[in-house]
Amino acid sequence: MTAPAHLDDLHFGAAVYCADGTHVGALRRLIVDEESLDPHAIVVKETRHFSGQHLAGSALIEDDVAIPLGALQSVTRERIDLSMTASQVRQTQPYLTYQYAPLARGDVGRMAVAQIGQTAFVRPLIEEAHKRLDELEITPGENIMLGHAGRKLGVVRDLVISEGELVGVVMHPVGIFKEDVLLQVRFLGRLDDLALFVHLTEDDLRQLRPFHPE
């Protein structure tokens, strides 16, 4: 099922507002189906004011919330208005949660040394995103790799959506390209949450042209 056509103006960084006019934050990620790449939801990074960080006096560990596409009332390039109130957004489950990684060999000793003040020990955290197993995310700055050969082509800069469907991603390139290029969805292979992979030949790469949106 495709997303509504009014989503065509979705762009990373757009300001997000609740139905009552409260500023939530900015569009940070797009959640898509793993196979079809159909958009499912957006992830919004809350402002310090909306999340309450300005009252906490320190950074909170999580300030991202996932919003279903059905809650997007109107979309322009610069602004997204939700049908949800500020209270409803604040009650939404955090998109990311964190838990301590299992203790590895030697960690108990390092913790004991840290307790007597001789060194610091920081137990690593494991990040978990609250999305389905058949969903992946597209994030600005995410690496774009050529196949699985480990060659980096560039990073994700933005989205291109038409009639509610993901047409492709705008890539800010490294190497031979000097300007942003559009990578159409037909060239996008399987993604993971660390990188986006594309299937192109060397001749295909030479045929890519600079992306100049209308």
Side-chain angles (χ1 to χ4, degrees), residues 57-109:
S58 61
L60 303 177
I61 199 167
E62 174 50 31
D63 56 5
D64 283 0
V65 291
I67 305 294
L69 295 184
L72 276 60
Q73 190 71 32
S74 64
V75 177
T76 67
R77 186 179 184 90
E78 305 297 334
R79 176 172 175 140
I80 300 170
D81 287 286
L82 306 178
S83 60
M84 302 170 66
T85 65
S87 177
Q88 289 172 323
V89 174
R90 288 193 173 102
Q91 294 176 35
T92 301
Q93 182 183 33
Y95 179 65
L96 299 175
T97 56
Y98 299 84
Q99 61 181 348
Y100 286 111
L103 290 173
R105 180 180 298 178
D107 282 350
V108 173

Side-chain angles (χ1 to χ4, degrees), residues 4 31 35 44 70-71 74 77 85 90 95 101 103 115 120 123-124 131-132 144-145 147 153-154 159 166 187:
I31 301 174
E35 298 298 332
V44 180
S74 64
R77 186 179 184 90
T85 65
R90 288 193 173 102
Y95 179 65
L103 290 173
Q115 288 176 351
R123 191 172 172 186
K131 56 183 175 58
R132 301 199 313 251
I144 298 176
M145 312 296 290
L153 295 179
L159 306 164
L166 182 66
F187 297 125

Side-chain angles (χ1 to χ4, degrees), residues 136-157:
L136 294 166
E137 61 187 45
I138 299 176
T139 307
E142 180 179 9
N143 287 336
I144 298 176
M145 312 296 290
L146 182 61
H148 293 268
R151 178 181 169 188
K152 180 178 176 180
L153 295 179
V155 297
V156 174
R157 169 155 283 184

Side-chain angles (χ1 to χ4, degrees), residues 131-207:
K131 56 183 175 58
R132 301 199 313 251
L133 293 178
D134 62 346
E135 291 180 326
L136 294 166
E137 61 187 45
I138 299 176
T139 307
E142 180 179 9
N143 287 336
I144 298 176
M145 312 296 290
L146 182 61
H148 293 268
R151 178 181 169 188
K152 180 178 176 180
L153 295 179
V155 297
V156 174
R157 169 155 283 184
D158 209 348
L159 306 164
V160 177
I161 297 177
S162 177
E163 298 184 357
E165 294 186 8
L166 182 66
V167 173
V169 298
V170 179
M171 180 181 75
H172 182 64
V174 297
I176 62 174
F177 302 109
K178 303 303 180 184
E179 299 183 72
D180 291 350
V181 297
L182 173 65
L183 294 176
Q184 295 170 305
V185 69
R186 65 172 60 94
F187 297 125
L188 303 181
R190 186 180 182 89
L191 302 91
D192 61 28
D193 284 334
L194 296 176
L196 188 158
F197 297 94
V198 295
H199 299 295
L200 296 167
T201 66
E202 292 296 329
D203 185 61
D204 291 333
L205 290 175
R206 287 190 289 270
Q207 299 302 316

